[in-house]
Amino acid sequence: MAFESLSDKLQGIFKKIRGQARLTESNMEDMLKEIRVALLESDVNYRVVKEFTNSVKEKALGQEVLLKVNPSQMLVKIVHDELVELLGSDDSELHLQNNRPTVILMVGLQGSGKTTTTGKLAHLLKYKMHKKVLLAAADVYRPAAIDQLNTLAKSVGVDIVNMGTSVSPVKISEVARQKAFDEHYDVLIIDTAGRLQIDEALMDELNQIKDKVSPDEILLLVDAMAGQDAVNVANAFNDKLALTGIVMSKLDGDARGGAALSIKHMTGVPIKFSGVGEKITDLDIFHPDRMADRILGMGDVVTLVEKVQEEMDEKEARKSVNKMMSGRFDLEDMIEQMRKVQKMGSLGGLLKLIPGMPRISEEQQAAGEKEMRNFETIVNSMTPEERHNPDILKYSRKQRISNGSGKSLADINRMLKKFEQMKQMMKQMEQYRKSGKMPPGGLGGMGFPGM
Amino acid sequence: MGLISFLKEKFHKKEKDKEVVKYTEGLEKSRKNFSNRLHNLSRRYQSVNQEYFEELEQILIESDIGINLVLRIIDEVLEISKKENIKDPEKINEVLVDRMFIGYAEKGDVVNELSFKEGTPTVVLVVGVNGVGKTTTIAKLAYRYKQKGKRVLLVAGDTFRAGATEQLKVWADRLNIDIVVGKNEQDPASVAYDGVYKGAREGYDLLIVDTAGRLQTKANLMAELSKIKRVIGKEIEGAPQETFLIIDATTGQNGVVQAKAFSEVTNLTGVIVTKMDGTSKGGIILAIRDELGVPVRFIGLGEKMEDLTEFDLDKYLYGLCVEEE
Ligand SMILES: Nc1nc2c(ncn2[C@@H]2O[C@H](COP(=O)(O)OP(=O)(O)OP(=O)(O)O)[C@@H](O)[C@H]2O)c(=O)[nH]1
Ligand SMILES: [Mg+2]
């Protein structure tokens, strides 16, 4: 990234004012200038930056500089807290109805991620909240938009109302709503075509849809890369439709996402979700504190920790270790283990956000994935006995497995070697656990291929 | 260097360069029209002061030009205004346009249109992050050159996103031109290969290769792009002659990061900025030009196939500062 971290810059300025007891207008001036530049570089809107720095200044003025903390750190904390405060909301959950279908309307500019997010939201509602979900394909304008939603619906395993491109989006939405009520769906999500906020005909169309289906949620998609104009877009959509929430998309890139702050500040509409990748599971609830760190360029530490915990459930890991210790760690456990580590590898993007973290490149991850698939194929050609006790694998068995799996003997040997290494590693981990220390190499010690 | 001497110098070097002529002709217009917004601004001031420059700064920053470039432009204008003792807001505005104009033009000559060579198809590779308008722009380019009598072949290199191939197929049908498609999740490089193989043997003039949207932070997807590029070059020497990065006009400061990353793997020959029919100014293209030298070639002004025009610096600078109500 081209940006120097804000705290580094402030650190430099701070040296000049060391020894002063209070934050004053004059000793804060340079620091506030840096904060302003940092916010503008993060695409926070010009006017919002102005108001924001003013309010930070007021909050900070006259504050005692504590002995242990330096003023730049204090100021960063004030800025950070103010950002979190501004970005957050106590209304960041979906308003789900209990006794009738919840209707969600997805709106936004072209290319902002509505269709993909519709798919992700359906996935989240179905698998995390156990809802019966219906989709409506109301983007009749962009070529093949309906094909796209169809494919997503199929892959998530939810129903879709697809009436082709010759029926009006208003009609499609109405029909979908009726179906959702008649057939007792829990949630209906309506995907609409992207449109400019200045396109009156198309904005009216949204209003008509709104009138006909009375949505419980109207979610505006905002691209994390969006620049200064994002507030105007959000304002226009909000004025016309009364939005209930914002979804930030493409946060898996390295854009700072300052638009989030601008929009929240100007419209007051809560930010509810963030899109963090192209996979169907890549939708997170929105975390104001992480977003604040990101806008300030301070690395998204918490996200990483939580993700790791989620993907690599510690209990599971313990089970494998115990199994191994009692001599029961087998090839199937290894594959299971690899699969988890692989999942964690998809954190590559997040790791990059953290200065000084080891980087798992996408190549490494791809290589790991391939290796895991190879091993899986091989294990599939083994008898249960062989899987549980690979020691019995001698030449003739290997030959048979090679024929069955289409993998070479060398492939099989490589896998067995990996298995031995992994067992070794498990043993070490157990020792570290007993001694209360972390294995050197951290994540690498967990058997990530190539680390 | 003053603007006029700069242009003169350019003129002498390249007497017949149409672009330069265009720039000179455009300049007067640009000065006249420069902007309602700037104009309104200058009417509110008798003479320029610090506040005036702050407002200028705001106009430029709100166009997404980026704080660093804006500060530099403003500094230059300040310096000139001091040196030449200019106080009149209208004059200051002229200096501003001149500075931006020169800053852009100085980076080198630009020919917007594609060039063609008898016997070898021109291959255009189209890249960019997700949702910026790659596929639509391809349809627009295809339409433009079909109108000019070229035989065009589309190559559906986005085998990843659901519905992407179908989308390009719909456009090929509408335009009544040929298209090469791969299977779902087929290696895009192999689809590109099929495309150039056919293109080279069947006498097409222009091949346009679509690619899946990708964030520049995804190393394996970026590597995939260089592979596509390599494969194309193996089949047709010197191809792809053009690699266009599509930038959405709404893009903020990340646009420069995108341009850097994509030019590292593909050697960009131009930017096409889309969605200029909206309210965003797309000022990041000035920062991209400034930092990387990559010029804007075309702009997208809507969702239909006709909605593509050549980039015109002069009109663009004018539009930058128009106030919307
Ligand atoms: N208003 C406007 N919309 C545009 C323009 N260019 C593209 N779009 C719209 O932007 C949306 C995305 O365009 P696509 O061409 O699918 O973008 P893409 O870059 O191919 O997207 P992916 O392949 O998914 O990464 C579509 O709804 C287009 O109609 C433009 O110049 N103006
Ligand atoms: Mg596309």
Side-chain angles (χ1 to χ4, degrees), chain A residues 371-409:
Chain A
E371 184 177 48
M372 186 188 78
R373 284 219 204 94
N374 270 340
F375 289 1
E376 248 174 341
T377 316
I378 295 171
V379 170
N380 281 341
S381 292
M382 294 182 171
T383 65
E385 196 196 354
E386 288 163 347
R387 294 181 199 189
H388 296 311
N389 186 12
D391 286 345
I392 62 172
L393 288 175
K394 295 283 152 1
Y395 179 77
S396 65
R397 283 183 190 258
K398 287 185 189 169
Q399 192 62 52
R400 194 204 76 240
I401 295 164
S402 168
N403 290 339
S405 63
K407 302 285 167 195
S408 68
L409 285 179

Side-chain angles (χ1 to χ4, degrees), chain A residues 36 41 43 46-47 110-111 142-144 148 196-197 225 227-229 250 252-254 278 352 362, chain B residues 57-58 61-62 64 68 130-131 161-162 167 215-218 220 250 252-254 258 275 279-280 303:
Chain A
R36 175 172 176 270
E41 278 179 340
D43 294 317
Y46 187 90
R47 293 160 222 233
Q110 291 94 340
R142 203 198 71 198
Q148 186 185 354
L196 296 171
Q197 84 281 11
M225 305 179 270
Q228 293 282 320
D229 196 46
K250 307 177 201 172
D252 48 326
D254 55 9
E278 291 193 76
K352 277 191 209 112
E362 305 249 357
Chain B
E57 187 187 291
Q58 175 173 0
I61 285 178
E62 291 194 329
D64 289 320
N68 293 318
N130 312 79
R161 202 206 71 199
Q167 186 184 356
L215 295 179
Q216 70 278 8
T217 46
K218 318 239 154 164
N220 63 337
T250 62
Q253 298 313 298
N254 195 243
Q258 289 168 26
K275 309 186 193 174
T279 48
S280 288
E303 300 188 74

Side-chain angles (χ1 to χ4, degrees), chain B residues 271-287:
Chain B
V271 162
I272 299 183
V273 54
T274 59
K275 309 186 193 174
M276 288 293 286
D277 47 330
T279 48
S280 288
K281 309 290 194 186
I284 196 65
I285 57 172
L286 295 180

Side-chain angles (χ1 to χ4, degrees), chain A residues 19 54 166 205 256 259:
Chain A
N54 281 341
S166 50
E205 179 192 281
R256 289 288 181 78

